[in-house]
Amino acid sequence: MPAREGRAVRVGAGRRVRVVDLAGGQVGDLFAFAADDPREHLSAAHTRSVTSRLFPLVGESFVTDRRRPILHLVDDTSPGSHDMLIAACDPARYEALGVPGHPSCARNLESALAELGLAVAGTPQPVNVFMRIPVTESGRLRWLAAESRAGDAITFEAAMDCVVVLSACPQDMAGINGDTLTPLAIDVL
């Protein structure tokens, strides 16, 4: 998918979906929704409470806001930085930064779901794949450039029939994507 855009794919239980950073250094906002009821979604907050971790590891599951497993993290060839703390960028963020109308992950989510005839009431917190937001000892968050390399990939297995949405994050003001926004790939395996 091109830089700054989003895509949605339907993934059956047991199938795998892989996100590939094609050029390196690009963050992707990943969302997942139960196929039979998109009001149920992957919840980073509920996942943190289940795993007792701030950042995901291979072998762990992501759960929904109803505490049901939705995705399992089965492979990761990147350095392993995947944020579960930062909200998706949205129109309000860019208006506050003085750039109204800037593309956002929230709008990409809406557009991608609309292509499948779906809509959700709000923007859940995504799992920000390849995003590097370490937490300092004092509790401060550091916004660092993604350290993923060209071809790095993260692979999930669907624990239920779901819709997975990926946004090639258009954030070009905070440095998380380095100097250039680049495309991502999303493959259903």
Side-chain angles (χ1 to χ4, degrees):
M1 86 184 62
R4 297 178 166 241
E5 294 185 16
R7 297 288 183 272
V9 293
R10 294 185 188 277
V11 184
R15 301 278 311 268
R16 292 185 175 191
V17 62
R18 177 178 55 209
V19 176
V20 183
D21 187 348
L22 298 172
Q26 177 63 47
V27 169
D29 285 33
L30 183 107
F31 306 88
F33 302 87
D36 61 348
D37 181 0
R39 292 175 299 180
E40 181 178 7
H41 58 83
L42 184 156
S43 169
H46 289 84
T47 298
R48 289 191 309 267
S49 70
V50 167
T51 62
S52 295
R53 299 184 45 75
L54 288 175
F55 309 109
L57 286 178
V58 171
E60 294 181 339
S61 294
F62 297 90
V63 300
T64 70
D65 54 328
R66 297 179 191 167
R67 299 186 188 270
R68 297 191 313 149
I70 189 166
L71 295 174
H72 304 296
L73 180 51
V74 295
D75 192 33
D76 185 2
T77 64
S78 79
S81 297
H82 309 291
D83 168 71
M84 294 196 307
L85 298 173
I86 303 300
C89 60
D90 54 34
R93 174 157 172 84
Y94 291 112
E95 285 178 29
L97 291 171
V99 285
H102 191 286
S104 70
C105 289
R107 291 281 187 240
N108 287 347
L109 170 65
E110 290 173 16
S111 298
L113 287 174
E115 288 185 19
L116 296 181
L118 300 171
V120 293
T123 303
Q125 181 184 340
V127 173
N128 299 300
V129 297
F130 310 127
M131 187 170 175
R132 191 163 55 132
I133 305 289
V135 180
T136 68
E137 284 188 31
S138 67
R140 301 233 2 123
L141 302 176
R142 297 188 57 215
W143 295 66
L144 303 177
E147 58 188 352
S148 51
R149 303 159 303 251
D152 279 350
I154 184 168
T155 305
F156 306 89
E157 184 176 289
M160 65 172 70
D161 292 345
C162 60
V163 174
V164 175
V165 181
L166 179 68
S167 172
C169 184
Q171 175 56 268
D172 55 4
M173 303 179 86
I176 60 169
N177 289 310
D179 296 330
T180 307
L181 300 175
T182 58
L184 296 173
I186 183 167
D187 302 314
V188 178
L189 309 174

